[in-house]
């Protein structure tokens, strides 16, 4: 269509947002130019809506509507609350890197405790020299907006052969209501390195804020990476996260996502298996209640032969919540002997709960083993009755069955203490139900 | 003292009446057998006593220790001491047997206002009982009944009975699908639980089980009613003559 459309109110607001934010955004002249280009691309597209195929089930124009102004730097009281939130959500023994309202907080972070093989910079520092990190192959509007407005992030590089025993935990804390935070981080894992990365999203007294995060990961040959993302943003927040992962040869990459927060969320992952002999495991649990909308969209791209990918997703959907799972497996013409499987199950706890599931296999090689499966249904009445007949009250019986249901995904986390941590989050979510 | 009183019970399933006015009284310390052909309503009776949804009680009442059982949720009935050993125990993948046993036992104790079992006491008790029932410890780590043989499932029911110490045990076709050895182990487990304070209702199609669990009273059920009651010799009579004499309308 070639019709000039007048800018809507929210589009005008976002133009103003960029104009006013521009002065506060870090970057060299190159970076400023890259941002402007990204912003123009966003302006042409606007927020994604249901007529954009990839966003069919998550119409951000309807669900979010407007883009909020950038958060100001937190004041002393907010910083204090952020410190408490960090303490409450820290993984035991982890080395913490904290972003408060989208800006790196050195005083809450353990930069000094990082081992020498893990080099760290902020995005802000990186952008003083180089615009490279703002560039991704995607043409997605939310990713363009992220490039235009990314204020800060964590830029990590793990040396070849480094064996990090302590997890690195990136904690995003929101303290300001009705604002937005744009973050972009990069993790480069060297050849043969072993590392566990945890990302945590939490809020402290903040409401109705928006998070737009981008994470760029590249994994060298023979590396072993565990990546756990725990999104527990405020109940009325928005979290849109885009991940780009490129995996080398003979890598073990194990990703797990848990969604327990935000009114509207989308995790979109673009994972490319670019080296032979790698094993990719991508798993997740969405626990949704009230009117929450949680979307997990994944593209696993087998670009080379002889890789294995496994995806196990579980959604528990209560009240009028809405879960979306879109999983695409691409097998390129060269990627013979690919073994790619995807299994997603939705548990509907109420008549008004909704689950959309869209698996897609795009297979261009002939000697492959690929498949997907999906189920959606309620708790099994005969199992519930058995448990009740043994003395468990209804909610407790449900909780036990829900734990078992999500357990199939959670048990993919190899590390015992991390797995227990995730089980704890699920248990607290279940306790809040009853 | 009367523990269970079923009075003129009428039950419908999906608009069809299955129990047509069933009356049964079980006193403390007694073991009753309910025998009857397939489809006579034995499982229906046991389900209604345990509180399974899907049954409509249109008339009559069930009293347990003088209280109206039909007013209670299934978990309340369990906490009061009603236990049904299922004809077909379900498999519950992802719920470890040990975790299930502890959660259930503590839920019942909590409902009765009793303190929770300490972990060592609980483990000791489970170990004792499972040993006597020939249940290997690694079975308790698996999901409830997942991959259990028929005999193992039935023994797992008896294990729960021993742990929860109910005052009324209803055993629905405990012998179905069991060979003689498995049957003997399960029956020994049940006999060990016989006590002056506890009553049992043993539901079976065949007389065989009653050689191992010897009843005080035998009832014959046919077409949704108790049609005859007597001593344990009634079971032998039935074995010889069959149910046909009771099937005539
Ligand atoms: N859920 C149900 N829906 C419809 N009919 C049922 C259901 N459960 C039992 N019945 C019917 O009720 C009758 C009694 O069944 P049941 O109680 O299982 O008998 P028994 O245990 O003595 O073999 C049978 O005719 C059976 O078909
Ligand atoms: Mg039956």
């Amino acid at each position: 269509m070639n019709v000039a459309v007048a800018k809507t109110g929210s589009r005008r607001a976002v133009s103003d947002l960029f104009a006013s934010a521009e002065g506060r955004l870090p970057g060299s002249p190159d970076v400023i130019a890259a941002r402007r280009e990204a912003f123009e691309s966003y302006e042409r597209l606007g927020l994604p809506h249901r007529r954009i195929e990839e966003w069919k089930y998550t119409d951000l124009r309807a669900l979010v509507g407007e883009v909020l102004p950038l958060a100001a730097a937190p004041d002393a009281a907010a910083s204090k609350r952020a410190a408490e939130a960090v303490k409450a959500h820290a993984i035991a023994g982890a080395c913490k890197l904290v972003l408060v309202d989208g800006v790196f907080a050195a005083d809450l972070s353990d930069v000094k405790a990082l081992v020498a093989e893990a080099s760290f910079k902020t995005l802000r520092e990186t952008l003083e020299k180089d615009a490279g990190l703002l560039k991704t192959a995607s043409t997605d509007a939310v990713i363009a907006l992220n490039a235009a407005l990314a204020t800060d992030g964590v830029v990590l590089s793990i040396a070849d052969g480094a064996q990090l025993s302590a997890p690195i935990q990136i904690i995003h804390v929101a303290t300001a209501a009705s604002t937005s935070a744009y973050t972009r981080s990069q993790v480069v894992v060297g050849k043969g390195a072993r590392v566990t990365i945890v990302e945590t999203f939490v809020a402290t007294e903040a409401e109705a804020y928006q998070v737009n995060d981008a994470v760029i990961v590249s994994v060298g040959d023979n590396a072993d990476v565990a990546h756990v993302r725990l999104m527990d943003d405020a109940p009325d927040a928005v979290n849109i996260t885009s991940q780009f992962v490129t995996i080398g040869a003979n890598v073990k990459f194990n990703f797990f996502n848990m969604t327990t927060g935000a009114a509207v969320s989308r995790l979109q992952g673009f994972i490319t298996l670019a080296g032979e002999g790698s094993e990719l495991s991508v798993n997740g649990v969405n626990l949704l209640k009230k009117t929450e909308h949680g979307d997990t969209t994944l593209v696993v791209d087998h670009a080379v032969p002889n890789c294995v990918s496994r995806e196990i997703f579980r959604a528990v959907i209560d009240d009028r919540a809405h879960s979306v799972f879109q999983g695409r497996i691409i097998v390129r013409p060269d990627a013979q002997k690919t073994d790619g499987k995807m299994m997603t199950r939705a548990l509907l706890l109420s008549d008004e709960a909704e689950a959309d599931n869209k698996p897609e296999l795009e297979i261009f090689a002939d000697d492959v083993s690929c498949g997907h499966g999906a189920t959606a249904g309620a708790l099994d009445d005969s199992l519930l009755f058995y448990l009740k007949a043994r003395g468990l009250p209804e909610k407790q019986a449900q909780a036990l069955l829900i734990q078992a249901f999500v357990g199939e995904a959670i048990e993919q986390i190899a590390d015992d203490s991390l797995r227990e941590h995730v089980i704890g989050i699920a248990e607290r979510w279940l306790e809040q139900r009853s | 003292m009367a523990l269970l009183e079923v009075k003129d019970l009428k039950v419908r399933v999906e608009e069809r009446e299955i129990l047509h006015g069933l009356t049964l009284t079980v006193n403390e310390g007694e073991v009753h057998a309910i025998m009857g052909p397939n489809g006579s309503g034995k499982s229906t009776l046991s389900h209604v006593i345990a509180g399974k949804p899907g049954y409509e009680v249109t008339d009559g009442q069930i009293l347990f220790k003088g209280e109206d059982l039909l007013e209670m949720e299934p978990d309340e009935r369990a906490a009061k001491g009603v236990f049904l050993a299922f004809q077909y125990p379900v498999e519950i993948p992802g719920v470890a047997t040990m975790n299930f046993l502890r959660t259930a036992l503590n839920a019942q104790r909590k409902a009765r206002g009793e303190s929770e079992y300490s972990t060592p006491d609980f483990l000791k008790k489970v170990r004792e009982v499972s040993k006597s029932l020939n249940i290997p410890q690694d079975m308790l780590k698996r999901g409830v009944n997942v991959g259990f043989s028929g005999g193992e499932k039935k023994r797992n029911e008896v294990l729960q009975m021993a742990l929860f110490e109910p005052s009324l045990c209803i055993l629905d076709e405990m012998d179905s699908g069991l060979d003689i050895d498995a049957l003997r182990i399960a029956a020994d487990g049940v006999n060990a639980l016989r006590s002056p304070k506890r009553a049992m209702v043993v539901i079976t199609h065949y007389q065989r089980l009653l050689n191992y669990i010897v009843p005080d009273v035998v009832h014959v059920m046919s077409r949704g009613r108790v049609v005859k009651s007597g001593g344990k010799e009634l079971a032998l009579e039935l074995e010889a003559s069959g149910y046909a004499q009771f099937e005539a309308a």
Side-chain angles (χ1 to χ4, degrees):
Chain A
M1 253 196 322
N2 243 338
V3 185
V5 180
K7 280 185 184 176
T8 63
S10 73
R11 283 205 184 192
R12 201 158 40 243
V14 85
S15 284
D16 297 346
L17 164 66
F18 186 65
S20 68
E22 220 176 341
R24 286 167 45 208
L25 293 170
S28 62
D30 271 5
V31 168
I32 303 291
R35 286 187 188 280
R36 189 161 295 135
E37 196 185 316
F39 188 75
E40 281 163 9
S41 150
Y42 171 76
E43 272 207 313
R44 276 192 303 277
L45 300 164
L47 277 178
H49 51 83
R50 66 179 185 281
R51 287 186 307 281
I52 309 251
E53 185 58 24
E54 293 81 0
W55 291 86
K56 184 171 153 189
Y57 300 107
T58 299
D59 184 333
L60 286 188
R61 285 195 194 169
L63 288 165
V64 175
E66 57 170 351
V67 170
L68 297 170
L70 288 186
D75 61 17
S79 296
K80 187 158 171 276
R81 282 190 281 120
E84 283 159 14
V86 166
K87 218 165 139 192
H89 294 274
I91 303 277
C95 186
K96 303 185 292 293
L97 300 169
V98 180
L99 295 149
V100 178
D101 298 329
V103 176
F104 184 68
D107 52 332
L108 300 180
S109 302
D110 305 324
V111 178
K112 290 214 176 65
L114 270 177
V115 291
E117 298 111 306
S119 83
F120 165 77
K121 274 196 197 134
T122 62
L123 178 77
R124 194 167 273 266
E125 286 166 330
T126 310
L127 291 181
E128 274 162 23
K129 300 193 189 65
D130 181 15
L133 266 183
L134 294 184
K135 290 172 184 157
T136 49
S138 170
T139 55
D140 194 293
V142 298
I143 297 166
L145 191 61
N146 178 284
L149 294 169
T151 23
D152 213 342
V154 162
V155 180
L156 267 175
S157 175
I158 313 297
D160 289 354
Q163 307 289 303
L164 271 63
S165 50
I168 295 174
Q169 186 182 16
I170 302 168
I171 306 181
H172 296 253
V173 187
T175 74
S178 306
T179 60
S180 62
Y182 292 80
T183 45
R184 183 170 281 229
S185 294
Q186 184 187 40
V187 180
V188 176
V189 181
K191 289 181 179 147
R194 189 167 62 85
V195 64
T196 298
I197 306 282
V198 180
E199 295 178 273
T200 302
F201 291 83
V202 289
T204 161
E205 291 176 30
E207 291 167 10
Y209 59 90
Q210 298 175 347
V211 171
N212 180 328
D213 184 41
V215 185
I216 302 157
V217 180
S218 76
V219 184
D221 297 349
N222 301 304
D224 184 346
V225 179
H227 182 182
V228 173
R229 177 178 179 274
L230 307 169
M231 197 282 279
D232 191 25
D233 269 310
D236 48 6
V238 176
N239 183 311
I240 308 294
T241 293
S242 310
Q243 288 179 340
F244 304 89
V245 183
T246 309
I247 294 173
N250 301 311
V251 166
K252 282 194 162 60
F253 190 92
N254 187 324
F255 174 76
F256 180 88
N257 175 67
M258 177 96 148
T259 296
T260 45
V264 177
S265 69
R266 160 127 151 168
L267 169 64
Q268 45 180 3
F270 306 92
I271 306 176
T272 303
L273 287 152
E276 290 191 38
S278 288
E279 286 173 30
L280 169 68
S281 172
V282 189
N283 311 292
V285 169
N286 282 3
L287 301 177
L288 305 173
K289 58 181 182 321
K290 304 213 170 102
T291 56
E292 289 167 3
H293 178 105
D295 173 342
T296 305
T297 293
L298 282 174
V299 180
V300 171
D301 187 345
H302 284 261
V304 295
N306 294 314
C307 289
V308 177
S309 65
R310 289 283 177 277
E311 299 169 47
I312 298 176
F313 279 83
R314 297 285 179 269
V316 178
I317 315 155
D318 205 353
D319 307 320
R320 290 191 289 142
H322 183 182
S323 173
V324 177
F325 178 83
Q326 304 187 101
R328 188 191 305 170
I329 299 175
I330 304 171
V331 181
R332 303 281 169 189
D334 284 344
Q336 299 296 359
K337 307 282 180 199
T338 286
D339 177 357
K341 309 243 157 44
M342 171 164 71
M343 181 70 209
T344 157
R345 291 175 64 194
L347 178 58
L348 302 157
L349 295 179
S350 105
D351 292 342
E352 291 171 294
E354 194 180 341
D356 283 304
N357 181 52
K358 187 179 160 204
E360 285 176 285
L361 301 179
E362 291 179 15
I363 299 176
F364 303 103
D366 48 20
D367 185 12
V368 302
S369 159
C370 289
H372 65 79
T375 64
L379 284 172
D380 184 324
D381 283 335
S382 64
L383 305 195
L384 269 178
F385 174 63
Y386 188 86
L387 294 175
K388 287 196 272 185
R390 295 301 178 249
L392 272 68
E394 172 83 24
K395 284 278 159 143
Q396 208 183 345
Q398 288 187 8
L400 207 58
L401 295 178
I402 295 168
Q403 273 170 18
F405 176 80
V406 299
E408 292 171 47
I410 295 176
E411 73 189 21
Q412 303 301 318
I413 301 172
D415 181 86
D416 291 344
S417 65
L418 260 178
R419 195 174 56 247
E420 289 303 319
H421 184 88
V422 171
I423 291 170
I425 295 173
E427 282 173 355
R428 279 192 295 285
W429 188 87
L430 288 169
E431 275 161 22
Q432 281 169 9
R433 276 191 84 226
S434 47
Chain B
M1 196 190 104
L3 192 63
L4 176 73
E5 296 161 89
V6 181
K7 295 180 185 167
D8 198 27
L9 188 70
K10 293 187 181 160
V11 173
R12 284 167 166 250
V13 177
E14 288 168 5
E15 306 294 302
R16 196 183 125 208
E17 192 169 276
I18 308 288
L19 300 183
H20 312 285
L22 185 141
T23 296
L24 175 74
T25 300
V26 179
N27 294 314
E28 274 182 346
E30 292 176 351
V31 174
H32 288 228
I34 297 181
M35 303 185 71
N38 282 331
S40 57
K42 304 183 297 294
S43 290
T44 301
L45 173 65
S46 70
H47 289 155
V48 173
I49 294 172
K52 186 171 177 164
Y55 297 91
E56 190 197 348
V57 176
T58 53
D59 203 1
Q61 61 175 182
I62 306 179
L63 300 181
F64 181 67
K65 297 178 183 170
E67 290 183 82
D68 184 356
L69 207 55
L70 295 174
E71 285 299 307
M72 297 178 209
E73 289 295 316
D75 53 299
E76 296 174 81
R77 302 182 195 199
K80 295 253 184 220
V82 175
F83 182 93
L84 169 61
F86 287 88
Q87 179 171 4
Y88 303 109
V90 293
E91 300 190 7
I92 315 182
V95 177
T97 306
M98 207 63 171
N99 180 33
F100 157 71
L101 293 175
R102 189 202 313 254
T103 308
L105 181 59
N106 283 331
Q108 292 190 22
R109 294 179 68 91
K110 190 175 163 199
R112 292 192 293 262
E114 298 166 7
S115 65
E116 293 198 348
Y117 249 90
S118 78
T119 304
D121 286 354
F122 171 76
L123 291 175
K124 187 160 165 271
K125 189 151 187 188
V126 173
R127 222 171 280 133
E128 267 170 29
V129 181
S130 51
K131 200 168 161 222
S132 71
L133 287 166
N134 221 349
I135 295 175
Q137 293 298 302
D138 72 288
M139 222 170 97
L140 302 176
K141 291 186 189 127
R142 283 193 257 156
V144 177
N145 292 325
V146 176
F148 288 22
S149 69
E152 287 170 334
K153 283 180 185 166
K154 296 296 169 83
R155 273 184 277 153
N156 191 23
E157 297 289 286
V158 180
L159 167 68
Q160 293 171 48
M161 218 163 92
L163 269 183
F164 303 153
E165 304 182 68
S167 36
L168 175 67
C169 305
I170 303 165
L171 305 157
D172 192 2
E173 308 268 4
M174 201 188 74
D175 47 339
S176 67
L178 294 196
D179 62 30
I180 280 292
D181 291 333
L183 179 59
R184 191 174 291 129
I185 294 168
D188 286 349
V190 172
N191 284 327
L193 294 171
R194 288 179 80 148
S195 98
K197 284 278 166 207
R198 181 172 292 139
M200 296 195 183
V201 176
V202 181
I203 294 172
T204 183
H205 182 88
Y206 302 103
Q207 191 270 337
R208 183 180 74 156
L209 176 66
L210 305 181
N211 292 333
Y212 298 93
I213 305 172
V214 180
D216 302 303
V217 186
V218 174
H219 308 276
V220 181
M221 228 179 123
S222 175
R223 302 183 175 208
R225 282 191 189 88
V226 171
V227 291
K228 189 168 184 186
S229 299
K232 59 176 178 267
E233 62 290 346
L234 180 56
L236 292 169
E237 239 172 77
L238 277 171
E239 183 78 353
S241 59
Y243 292 115
Q245 55 177 313
F246 302 108
E247 295 276 52

